[in-house]
Amino acid sequence: MSDTTNGQRTATISVLVDNEAGVLARVIGLFSGRGYNIDSLTVAPVDADLSRSRITVVTRGTDLVIEQIKAQLGRLVPIHKIADLSADGPHVARELGLIKVIARGEPRVEALRIADAFRAKIVDTTIESFVFELTGASEKIDAFIDLMRPLGTTEISRSGVAAIARGTRTII
Amino acid sequence: MNAEMNHAETPAAGAQVLLRALKEQGVEVIFGYPGGAVLPIYDALFQQNAIRHILVRHEQAAVHAAEGYARSTGKVGCVLVTSGPGATNAVTGLVDALMDSIPLVCLTGQVPTHLIGNDAFQEADTVGITRPATKHNYLVKRSEDLARVVHEAFYVARSGRPGPVVIDLPKDILIKPAPYVEATREPHRSYRPQTEPDAAQIDRAVALIQHSRRPILYTGGGIINAGPEASALLRELVAETGIPCTNTLMGLGALPASDPHFLGMLGMHGTYEANMAMHGCDVMINIGARFDDRVTGRLNAFSPHSKKIHADIDASNINKVVTVDVPILGDAGLILRALLERIRSLNAQPDRASITAWWRQIDSWREKRSLAFVQPDAPGSIIKPQHAVRRLFELTRQSGRETFITTEVGQHQMWAAQHFGFERPNHWMTSGGLGTMGYGLPAAMGVQVAKPDALVIDIAGEASILMNIQEMGTLAQYRLPVKVFILNNQYMGMVRQWQELLHGSRYSESYSEALPDFVKLAESFHGVGMRATSVDDLDRVILEMLKCDRAVIADIAVDQGENVYPMIPSGAAHNEMLLGPDRHHNNTEVTNAGMVLV
């Protein structure tokens, strides 16, 4: 959730934007140009007519910096709504990881056992490799990857965080 | 009726639709420079008379000219440049307008849509390059979007916190027929700036003002951008409450310089009384200023004992640099009106006796006469730059003509801000945020286009003026009688000053070697050149310059060693000003932390 080292906290910010060319570059450019962190970023269209996309950015900063990030995002013309999900109330944040483990013998069996414990899905397999699909909080995926790494050659692909408020609250 | 139907059946070419949309948006003048990608627009311009085109000599100057036009008229400035180098040359001007919140629409040509991304001749990723240089930008890829985008661009440029907007126009879009649509009155689908202040915040601000004993108004460019009514309301508020008022560099003219409540400019080269009052106030009312680093000095010592009210149109300016007690989001004019009405209806003027005591304190600071200088009057004496600006001010005021002042960037800019008294808003144009050398001449050109009968003077330095000197050609072509008043100290003066104060007087690369003969230079551009080398020549040269109905360069040789004072050294606080070379208020040493500041 929110670690508060040095007065900093992690913020999960969801932004509803026009689904148009360059809009992601505006958001990313704002973060890099003003020296804000991006820990993770996801984007995809969310309206039935594909007219708007939702960008979810996980970032870090003091409360003042997070407020500043929201205010700076608010200046961008094609932005409709901004929500700091971590500050506004309970929310669900999930990430999907695809983890390839190349191993034989005992490490391969161990990989399977761990995957079972994490309820990871096997989406591809060969005699010497698995691709696991795992969904959950980022920390869960971190933990899974930490356990897999010693077992063989690993390759990781992660989606970044998608998040939404619990209950009836929306930013539609 | 039939004609209209025919019109609908055979829509005009994109370039014509573009001009029609510009006309609907009230564009009368475009500052531009042609090139391959925008030839269809130039062809359409050739076939009409409603929009005038001013041919500049460099695209950066086109943008500054449009800034001068916008700042003197309150309208949106319009620029037209070609693709590639045309667009990249315009970037400095765009950032300048972005930093100073000047409304502009810049039309850039682009290679045809099917060539975009192919490294075509004169192709540049203009929307990519100008994304952080503009308030917003557009690439028009479909003819049906063209007219709508133009209308939207003007709305975005002038509303909320104004700024520059780029429309990138591929050549095929300009040639292909495009449908015309009129500007819509529908609210924008996502961009809706808040202009009306929140009543509860106004009440909180009024309560602070009512109980203040040492209040100060600190106002900036936001008041100028909110239109002349906002400045009039500021005058009313000051008269109603007796609160002292200081202006930022961008905000000069909002309160008349002659108003006794005016403390002068504040900040790094502001007056002693303005900075001391900022330091000692108990309630600070910031309207339309953004706590710029030139204004605040060392942040952890900035106005330590005050409650702060901050009114701004841009939410991102609030709590960005200085944490405030009462934020008010909205238009400066509407906020001033609301404050004034509330103060009057509640009889919430601050206590008269406290204000009088506060003024006694301020008057004691005024007695330091922090802008004082000594002009030797013996015949043949070298001219002090401050004296040159003061005489220019006094002689233009005596002429009774409406006067607009632009500047370049550096010492002369600060002397102009300190010694030229501005009585009205929109008559002072300077590059505040970006600090763009080469701004003043093209900006003056834009002002003169908007105000053909006014006196337009660029107070310049000999180094800055050379950065856009080619615009003397534009002045000649359009018979624009701009006056360039060069304070020539043969140094990049502000660089030299910092080298003297911070770098052991090692004047690395700041001497203006091999200067042109400015008199001959003016003549070669079909203008008039004049020169003053001693104090005896000064008034005569200024009067001749003011009388001349052509473009003039007046080359005023000034004291090479003069520094701008007073000064808050880098990393120092408002109450640690240097008053002059021999008048150190505190023996402030510049710290290493201060050295890294620009």
Side-chain angles (χ1 to χ4, degrees):
Chain A
M1 277 289 288
S2 54
D3 80 284
T4 49
T5 44
N6 308 324
Q8 295 212 341
R9 66 178 178 93
T10 298
T12 305
I13 296 175
S14 271
V15 193
L16 216 50
V17 301
D18 275 336
N19 179 20
E20 62 178 31
V23 69
L24 187 60
R26 286 182 208 284
V27 172
I28 294 172
L30 189 157
F31 275 76
S32 63
R34 293 189 181 266
Y36 308 135
N37 287 303
I38 297 182
D39 285 352
S40 124
L41 177 83
T42 62
V43 56
V46 289
D47 283 357
D49 61 358
L50 305 183
S51 64
R52 292 185 305 172
S53 293
R54 181 170 176 135
I55 297 176
T56 303
V57 188
V58 180
T59 183
R60 267 170 297 127
T62 60
D63 280 338
L64 273 178
V65 167
I66 304 293
E67 280 309 306
Q68 192 47 214
I69 290 173
K70 286 165 62 185
Q72 293 290 350
L73 284 168
R75 297 173 73 190
L76 300 180
V77 169
I79 285 199
H80 291 259
K81 295 263 178 64
I82 303 157
D84 178 357
L85 293 173
S86 16
D88 294 350
H91 69 285
V92 191
R94 290 291 179 269
E95 196 179 352
L96 180 139
L98 293 172
I99 298 100
K100 181 179 287 183
V101 182
I102 303 169
R104 282 171 168 264
E106 182 50 30
R108 179 176 161 86
V109 180
E110 180 62 14
L112 261 187
R113 274 199 291 268
I114 294 168
D116 190 44
F118 275 79
R119 272 172 269 171
K121 253 182 14 193
I122 299 166
V123 290
D124 178 74
T125 181
T126 67
I127 289 177
E128 49 188 342
S129 70
F130 289 117
V131 175
F132 298 110
E133 175 195 312
L134 182 64
T135 310
S138 299
E139 293 78 5
K140 177 179 168 185
I141 295 171
D142 292 344
F144 183 74
I145 291 167
D146 285 347
L147 291 170
M148 287 296 170
R149 276 195 210 280
L151 301 178
T153 307
T154 50
E155 185 186 2
I156 319 290
S157 177
R158 298 173 70 152
S159 64
V161 173
I164 203 160
R166 290 186 185 272
T168 53
R169 243 171 347 109
T170 67
I171 60 163
I172 51 177
Chain B
M1 192 65 192
N2 264 339
E4 259 175 45
M5 283 177 68
N6 284 341
H7 189 80
E9 278 161 24
T10 53
Q16 257 131 21
V17 167
L18 170 71
L19 291 193
R20 187 171 162 196
L22 295 182
K23 266 178 255 175
E24 191 186 327
Q25 289 297 329
V27 173
E28 289 164 352
V29 185
I30 296 178
F31 300 90
Y33 202 104
V38 287
L39 282 175
I41 304 176
Y42 276 85
D43 200 38
L45 278 171
F46 190 81
Q47 299 174 49
Q48 55 87 52
N49 285 317
I51 298 177
R52 187 177 174 206
H53 180 271
I54 303 290
L55 174 66
V56 297
R57 301 306 192 257
H58 186 285
E59 289 88 349
Q60 183 195 346
V63 186
H64 294 324
E67 287 185 89
Y69 181 89
R71 291 174 75 163
S72 56
T73 60
K75 296 182 194 164
V76 178
C78 190
V79 178
L80 169 58
V81 298
T82 194
S83 64
T88 57
N89 275 347
V91 168
T92 300
L94 293 171
V95 181
D96 191 90
L98 182 70
M99 292 284 271
D100 286 348
S101 309
I102 309 302
L104 295 181
V105 170
C106 176
L107 310 165
T108 57
Q110 183 53 276
V111 301
T113 45
H114 68 274
L115 287 182
I116 290 179
N118 279 349
D119 299 326
F121 178 64
Q122 292 196 329
E123 180 183 358
D125 174 10
T126 300
V127 284
I129 291 167
T130 62
R131 204 173 282 128
T134 53
K135 180 173 174 183
H136 193 50
N137 62 13
Y138 301 87
L139 168 61
V140 180
K141 280 182 149 173
R142 305 184 314 168
S143 296
E144 57 267 39
D145 294 336
L146 177 60
R148 177 187 60 78
V149 163
V150 174
H151 297 313
E152 190 179 306
F154 276 82
Y155 170 69
V156 169
R158 69 171 176 263
S159 61
R161 181 179 181 180
V165 176
V166 159
I167 309 176
D168 203 22
L169 297 161
K171 194 170 182 182
D172 53 329
I173 298 291
L174 297 173
I175 293 170
K176 271 194 294 193
Y180 190 77
V181 293
E182 288 181 1
T184 169
R185 287 174 180 275
E186 295 286 301
H188 189 276
R189 63 196 178 284
S190 57
Y191 170 72
R192 291 170 196 182
Q194 183 186 332
T195 53
E196 200 67 54
D198 180 62
Q201 295 303 84
I202 294 289
D203 284 348
R204 290 180 59 204
V206 168
L208 274 184
I209 293 168
Q210 180 172 17
H211 298 107
S212 66
R213 302 171 63 81
R214 301 184 310 280
I216 187 167
L217 275 155
Y218 146 49
T219 76
I223 294 199
I224 311 290
N225 271 335
E229 323 77 62
S231 295
L233 287 163
L234 175 67
R235 289 155 204 219
E236 272 190 60
L237 180 64
V238 165
E240 179 75 31
T241 58
I243 299 177
C245 180
T246 177
N247 292 161
T248 67
L249 181 69
M250 293 296 296
L252 293 175
L255 193 69
S258 58
D259 188 309
H261 296 94
F262 183 56
L263 302 184
M265 183 173 75
L266 82 165
M268 183 173 272
H269 294 298
T271 65
Y272 185 69
E273 55 270 31
N275 287 330
M276 290 301 282
M278 285 288 281
H279 192 80
C281 68
D282 68 343
V283 171
M284 178 186 296
I285 310 147
N286 169 351
I287 302 180
R290 59 182 174 88
F291 295 109
D292 182 83
D293 56 74
R294 293 293 105 148
V295 156
T296 60
R298 191 169 80 241
L299 270 175
N300 61 12
F302 174 70
S303 193
H305 308 298
S306 60
K307 295 273 186 200
K308 297 175 185 73
I309 300 163
H310 185 185
D312 206 294
I313 187 79
D314 181 350
S316 78
N317 273 344
I318 290 171
N319 291 330
K320 179 175 72 179
V321 180
V322 171
T323 314
V324 297
D325 302 280
V326 181
I328 311 175
L329 192 59
D331 172 83
L334 298 177
I335 289 168
L336 279 163
R337 185 180 301 281
L339 286 174
L340 199 55
E341 279 172 3
R342 205 75 186 125
I343 287 172
R344 281 178 177 153
S345 69
L346 296 175
N347 249 330
Q349 294 83 352
D351 171 52
R352 268 290 149 190
S354 306
I355 296 289
T356 307
W358 177 223
W359 271 111
R360 267 199 301 277
Q361 169 74 69
I362 290 170
D363 286 338
S364 76
W365 290 325
R366 270 184 171 163
E367 279 164 22
K368 294 260 186 192
R369 301 186 60 243
S370 60
L371 297 182
F373 59 92
V374 181
Q375 171 62 60
D377 51 8
S381 295
I382 186 76
I383 300 165
K384 289 284 180 186
Q386 303 93 322
H387 178 66
V389 174
R390 281 228 78 93
R391 289 308 295 157
L392 181 69
F393 168 52
E394 282 152 12
L395 294 172
T396 52
R397 193 177 44 180
Q398 281 167 28
S399 80
R401 291 177 64 189
E402 183 173 24
T403 305
F404 294 82
I405 299 292
T406 71
T407 74
E408 310 289 332
V409 167
Q411 286 185 319
H412 67 272
Q413 177 189 28
M414 293 298 107
W415 285 317
Q418 291 174 337
H419 295 281
F420 204 101
F422 297 97
E423 294 293 304
R424 283 193 283 167
N426 303 100
H427 285 68
W428 158 248
M429 295 82 195
T430 193
S431 173
L434 194 63
T436 311
M437 292 169 73
Y439 171 86
L441 176 55
M445 200 163 87
V447 176
Q448 191 82 76
V449 167
K451 310 280 178 182
D453 300 322
L455 191 53
V456 184
I457 305 172
D458 171 26
I459 299 181
E462 85 291 336
S464 279
I465 191 65
L466 289 176
M467 284 215 182
N468 269 319
I469 193 70
Q470 76 287 344
E471 297 309 318
M472 290 300 293
T474 311
L475 297 185
Q477 179 175 347
Y478 298 97
R479 296 193 163 79
L480 300 170
V482 167
K483 313 292 184 261
V484 180
F485 189 74
I486 301 178
L487 302 180
N488 187 343
N489 58 5
Q490 298 182 41
Y491 274 101
M492 295 160 211
M494 195 57 95
V495 172
R496 196 206 58 79
Q497 174 166 347
W498 281 51
Q499 288 173 334
E500 180 187 324
L501 298 178
L502 302 175
H503 296 276
S505 298
R506 290 179 294 279
Y507 299 126
S508 180
E509 303 294 326
S510 55
Y511 182 64
S512 294
E513 192 86 50
L515 283 171
D517 177 333
F518 284 107
V519 173
K520 285 186 186 157
L521 188 148
E523 286 163 1
S524 75
F525 275 108
H526 317 290
V528 177
M530 301 171 184
R531 180 171 288 126
T533 53
S534 82
V535 70
D536 324 319
D537 308 329
L538 183 64
D539 280 18
R540 177 184 53 76
V541 166
I542 292 174
L543 288 170
E544 260 178 55
M545 176 181 88
L546 299 184
K547 253 198 318 218
C548 185
D549 60 359
R550 294 159 63 192
V552 174
I553 295 181
D555 184 16
I556 312 296
V558 298
D559 189 343
Q560 296 194 337
E562 195 63 31
N563 286 335
V564 182
Y565 288 111
M567 177 177 184
I568 302 176
S570 288
H574 273 169
N575 61 342
E576 301 169 338
M577 291 198 87
L578 302 179
L579 286 176
D582 326 308
R583 302 204 294 158
H584 289 206
H585 174 67
N586 282 338
N587 282 326
T588 310
E589 290 293 317
V590 173
T591 60
N592 277 339
M595 280 278 278
V596 303
L597 301 174
V598 188

